[in-house]
Amino acid sequence: MNKRIVSKVLVVGLLALSLTGCWDSKALEHRGIVLAVGVDKTKSPGEYKWIFVFPNVTLSPSSLSNIKPNQEYYAVSVHATTFPQALMRAQEKSSRALYLGQLQTLVWSCHLSWQQLWPVINAINAEGTVPKTFWTMAAEAPLEPIVEYVSPQVVPPRTFLSAYFECKNCQPIRLRQSGWQFWSHGVSAGISPFTPLVSLTGKDFRIRHIVAYPSGGHPVIFSHQETEGFGYLTGRVQKTSLSFAWNHDLVNVTTMHEHRALSIHQIGHTLDVKENIRLSGYIDEVAGHQIMQLSSQQAVITQAEHEILQACLDAIHRANATKVDPFGYAEQIFWFGTHSSAFMPIHAQITVTISVKGEGILR
């Protein structure tokens, strides 16, 4: 057959397909757009409870304003041993074709171990339609209030979990972890995967802890002070403020910017870590309206340096006691490879230096 005729036939065929639209398209009301997934334990070994959260699809934009806040989203729960099995059962239960291209968060029980989490994370990461930027977080059971959380700050259609990273008082340290980061830490030698531990107080998220995952054993929950130390040691502080007692009043040091100098060497089976943390900020308020003399400034700085240093040392102590390295110190020694079960004890020399700017009440 003439090549010109063949090419014309192909062009006509492609045009015919384009005119008919996508042959596998589904109406919006027949799709389940998954925004959040929760994973919790059940009483049966190897089985999990899966919670899928969907937006309440409306037939017209004008009807959005008629949806009540507690009706904007709905959840479907199933029991399954694997993620693909959970997807299949959720599709059957919801009578919808599930779409994971808008997944925003994955919430799991803080009591799930690394051995239990890894197959879940790996299976979700292998799904081609799932955006790897979804956020990971751990929580205490029951997970439904966290998974179904809706921000009160945006009018319908609301962005799911939009207030998660907008709260300044509950998260002065960047503890967020996306799905690809958690997965990457899982296959990188020398760093323990971690995720924030979230709780719901009223309608606000609170983040006070991280959960670190050793290659074997139970997950490790860092205390609030240990989590703060982790934040300083990893450069995650974002314009935080600190309050200290002075003459029976409180002094607020605000807009703290952080700079770090880090040196790591391997000595035998131990990591020798030298880290210098430099912070700068200004004193903006003294409760009780006392006038702070410049001679008192150094006493406040010294106390602040001591408290931050203690938080850092507490975080290092917790890491050594539980054999986790969420700081990634050993990662800078090892090459990228399979997840290493070998933990290297951390011998750390930490120094903290704070400089107060001539602003605020010291102007």
Side-chain angles (χ1 to χ4, degrees):
M1 185 182 292
N2 189 293
K3 291 184 178 179
R4 183 175 297 179
I5 297 175
V6 172
S7 63
K8 287 183 177 179
V9 171
L10 289 175
V11 170
V12 171
L14 291 174
L15 286 174
L17 287 175
S18 65
L19 290 174
T20 59
C22 297
W23 50 85
D24 63 344
S25 64
K26 293 183 181 295
L28 186 60
E29 61 269 22
H30 297 307
R31 279 194 179 276
I33 302 173
V34 181
L35 295 180
V37 176
V39 187
D40 201 356
K41 288 182 176 181
T42 67
K43 295 181 180 180
S44 301
E47 183 183 69
Y48 303 98
K49 177 183 178 181
W50 304 78
I51 308 165
F52 294 86
V53 176
F54 310 92
N56 189 355
V57 178
T58 59
L59 298 179
S60 64
S62 60
S63 61
L64 285 172
S65 58
N66 297 325
I67 299 179
K68 297 178 181 179
N70 61 351
Q71 296 177 342
E72 290 177 349
Y73 302 92
Y74 67 96
V76 170
S77 299
V78 296
H79 287 199
T81 56
T82 65
F83 181 65
Q85 187 183 62
L87 280 178
M88 181 184 66
R89 291 183 178 178
Q91 287 190 143
E92 293 173 351
K93 191 171 182 178
S94 64
S95 300
R96 282 174 167 80
L98 267 57
Y99 175 66
L100 297 166
Q102 296 296 324
L103 182 67
Q104 295 189 21
T105 185
L106 173 65
V107 185
W108 58 70
S109 166
C110 62
H111 302 294
L112 290 176
S113 67
W114 174 250
Q115 290 86 347
Q116 294 169 316
L117 273 178
W118 175 245
V120 175
I121 293 295
N122 212 24
I124 294 178
N125 189 67
E127 285 285 335
T129 57
V130 177
K132 303 307 181 277
T133 53
F134 67 87
W135 302 110
T136 67
M137 59 191 80
E140 289 278 0
L143 300 184
E144 282 83 355
I146 298 291
V147 181
E148 298 175 11
Y149 173 77
V150 178
S151 166
Q153 302 178 6
V154 188
V155 296
R158 299 176 180 175
T159 302
F160 195 77
L161 298 177
S162 65
Y164 177 40
F165 302 119
E166 293 174 6
C167 52
K168 299 295 189 296
N169 295 326
C170 65
Q171 192 180 358
I173 301 173
R174 297 187 303 271
L175 299 178
R176 53 197 178 200
Q177 278 291 93
S178 62
W180 74 266
Q181 288 174 315
F182 191 87
W183 180 88
S184 176
H185 290 172
V187 297
S188 299
I191 182 170
S192 303
F194 78 91
T195 198
L197 177 66
V198 302
S199 60
L200 195 58
T201 303
K203 293 184 178 181
D204 294 323
F205 264 118
R206 294 179 66 85
I207 304 171
R208 292 289 187 268
H209 311 271
I210 63 166
V211 185
Y213 295 89
S215 56
H218 300 289
V220 179
I221 298 178
F222 279 47
S223 69
H224 178 42
Q225 179 159 316
E226 293 163 353
T227 299
E228 285 188 338
F230 164 80
Y232 285 109
L233 290 169
T234 54
R236 298 172 183 274
V237 175
Q238 51 178 22
K239 294 185 178 180
T240 188
S241 62
L242 302 172
S243 297
F244 304 98
W246 174 75
N247 284 357
H248 307 292
D249 288 319
L250 284 179
V251 177
N252 292 322
V253 183
T254 63
T255 318
M256 304 285 284
H257 293 270
E258 181 182 16
H259 305 277
R260 299 158 59 236
L262 180 63
S263 172
I264 305 174
H265 297 90
Q266 182 178 351
I267 302 177
H269 295 289
T270 303
L271 291 176
D272 185 64
V273 177
K274 294 181 175 65
E275 186 163 1
N276 181 21
I277 300 172
R278 292 177 290 115
L279 298 160
S280 60
Y282 64 88
I283 300 175
D284 72 337
E285 182 182 359
V286 179
H289 306 291
Q290 295 189 49
I291 298 176
M292 172 174 282
Q293 303 296 326
L294 290 177
S295 59
S296 303
Q297 176 181 328
Q298 188 56 48
V300 172
I301 292 174
T302 301
Q303 182 178 349
E305 291 172 344
H306 174 75
E307 293 195 16
I308 293 173
L309 175 60
Q310 189 59 55
C312 293
L313 294 177
D314 288 347
I316 296 292
H317 181 267
R318 169 68 69 174
N320 282 327
T322 56
K323 297 184 178 181
V324 293
D325 183 3
F327 320 102
Y329 291 145
E331 185 185 32
Q332 302 191 36
I333 302 296
F334 299 136
W335 288 98
F336 183 87
T338 56
H339 185 69
S340 174
S341 59
F343 170 78
M344 300 183 70
I346 303 167
H347 179 264
Q349 300 178 44
I350 311 295
T351 58
V352 178
T353 306
I354 297 179
S355 61
V356 176
K357 302 175 183 178
E359 302 178 28
I361 66 171
L362 297 181
R363 286 196 297 263

